[in-house]
Amino acid sequence: MSPHDHHHHDHGEPGLGEHHHIHSKLPSDPALRVKALESLLTEKGLVDPATIDAWVETYESKIGPRIGARVVARAWVDSEFKRRLLADATKTLDEIDLLGNQGQHMVAVENTPQLHNMVVCTLCSCYPLPLLGLPPSWYKSAPYRSRVVIDPRGVLKEFGVELPAETKIRVWDSTAEVRYLVVPQRPNGSDGMSEEQLAALVTRDSMIGTGLVSLT
Ligand code: FE
């Protein structure tokens, strides 16, 4: 199976070239159904689209990434755990039952003053769902997927992150089989903080590499 087979749809309809052409421009069936449902519920005044957006945002940025944040905080306070995480993230996370039988290979990459890691899926939107929840919409967008490879520093700047010129940037391209987790740098001045307090600082973007962790 090639890395991106899960996104390829062969409708097996020879002779329906025109239909297929139109179809390929529409969202995939589940997405289309959800959209149709949302439109209907909105039309009937049963839901407010802003409420749906707020829920999606909460799952993308608050609830979803909490598991990854706990992994990062543990790596910061437990050097033996960090060593094992960086050496074999799949095995280490599986031992504490964090991968939920997804059958994915996880790789953890550590940010240091010398090296900053960023994650993308250039072909589609592969993302470490068990650790980070739903991917943010920008992660799935064509501009992010294409530009982060060509100009990672420029993309980082748009996220409000400016790294020292001497910090190298490495971009990791996810596939259906291999997903990446960035272990961000622990912020200065966090020495006295508990693992739980540290976990609360870790943002989703910092684990994708489009953000840094700060004390505020
Ligand atoms: Fe993908």
Side-chain angles (χ1 to χ4, degrees), residues 58-205:
T58 300
Y59 274 91
E60 280 175 358
S61 65
K62 305 271 170 22
I63 298 170
R66 284 303 97 207
I67 294 174
R70 275 165 39 214
V71 170
V72 167
R74 184 157 168 207
W76 282 345
V77 300
D78 180 345
S79 58
E80 172 58 16
F81 176 77
K82 183 164 95 173
R83 191 195 60 73
R84 289 193 291 124
L85 182 71
L86 296 174
D88 189 342
T90 311
K91 185 161 169 267
T92 307
L93 295 173
D94 212 32
E95 275 167 15
I96 47 176
D97 210 17
L98 283 186
L99 292 184
N101 291 323
Q102 296 266 313
Q104 303 166 350
H105 193 62
M106 275 298 311
V107 174
V109 290
E110 185 185 22
N111 284 349
T112 67
Q114 291 78 37
L115 177 69
H116 182 86
N117 297 283
M118 296 177 78
V119 179
V120 67
C121 176
T122 54
L123 286 189
C124 40
S125 55
C126 298
Y127 190 71
L129 293 169
L131 299 179
L132 298 188
L134 297 173
S137 51
W138 55 258
Y139 183 84
K140 298 177 274 184
S141 74
Y144 177 75
R145 283 157 41 209
S146 55
R147 289 193 42 231
V148 74
V149 181
I150 303 163
D151 180 21
R153 210 170 283 270
V155 170
L156 266 183
K157 216 168 185 172
E158 285 165 29
F159 277 90
V161 177
E162 282 200 61
L163 295 175
E166 62 271 22
T167 304
K168 288 204 172 86
I169 302 176
R170 187 176 292 163
V171 178
W172 300 85
D173 196 357
S174 312
T175 67
E177 279 87 25
V178 185
R179 312 289 166 98
Y180 298 92
L181 174 74
V182 174
V183 178
Q185 288 189 71
R186 182 171 172 164
N188 290 328
S190 65
D191 288 0
M193 294 178 82
S194 70
E195 190 173 330
E196 200 175 320
Q197 289 171 317
L198 289 167
L201 298 177
V202 180
T203 60
R204 172 197 68 201
D205 288 7

Side-chain angles (χ1 to χ4, degrees), residues 1-39:
M1 182 166 149
S2 79
H4 291 274
D5 274 358
H6 64 307
H7 294 287
H8 295 163
H9 305 285
D10 181 359
H11 294 273
E13 294 167 312
L16 292 176
E18 184 65 18
H19 167 260
H20 194 262
H21 179 70
I22 293 165
H23 189 109
S24 67
K25 292 192 171 156
L26 292 170
S28 66
D29 291 351
L32 197 59
R33 280 159 192 267
V34 169
K35 271 274 168 247
L37 199 57
E38 185 184 335
S39 305

